[in-house]
Amino acid sequence: MTDKPAAVCAACNANLYEGRSAIYDSLFEVYACGPSCWSEWYADNEAEYKRKWTEAVDL
Ligand SMILES: [Zn+2]
């Protein structure tokens, strides 16, 4: 019997298995091995992240 990965790291594509800890980004719904992988993923997606969260407004 092989363990089925519960998720895949968005930064390094490592399989993340049930019962292990990982970082989950609830906005983009991606998983990462840990803070360093998440930072790597965020560095590549910062522009889109900001686009999703920030906008120009009239005051
Ligand atoms: Zn990773």
Side-chain angles (χ1 to χ4, degrees):
M1 199 177 120
T2 47
D3 283 341
K4 248 184 91 182
V8 173
C9 175
C12 71
N13 292 318
N15 290 329
L16 304 171
Y17 295 99
E18 264 178 55
R20 304 268 197 87
S21 64
I23 299 286
Y24 178 61
D25 185 302
S26 55
L27 176 63
F28 276 78
E29 298 181 328
V30 295
Y31 289 87
C33 304
S36 62
C37 271
W38 186 85
S39 296
E40 210 172 287
W41 177 86
Y42 180 77
D44 289 342
N45 292 274
E46 188 183 2
E48 200 186 333
Y49 218 96
K50 283 179 178 164
R51 205 155 41 236
K52 203 149 184 174
W53 278 112
T54 60
E55 59 182 334
V57 292
D58 294 324
L59 298 175

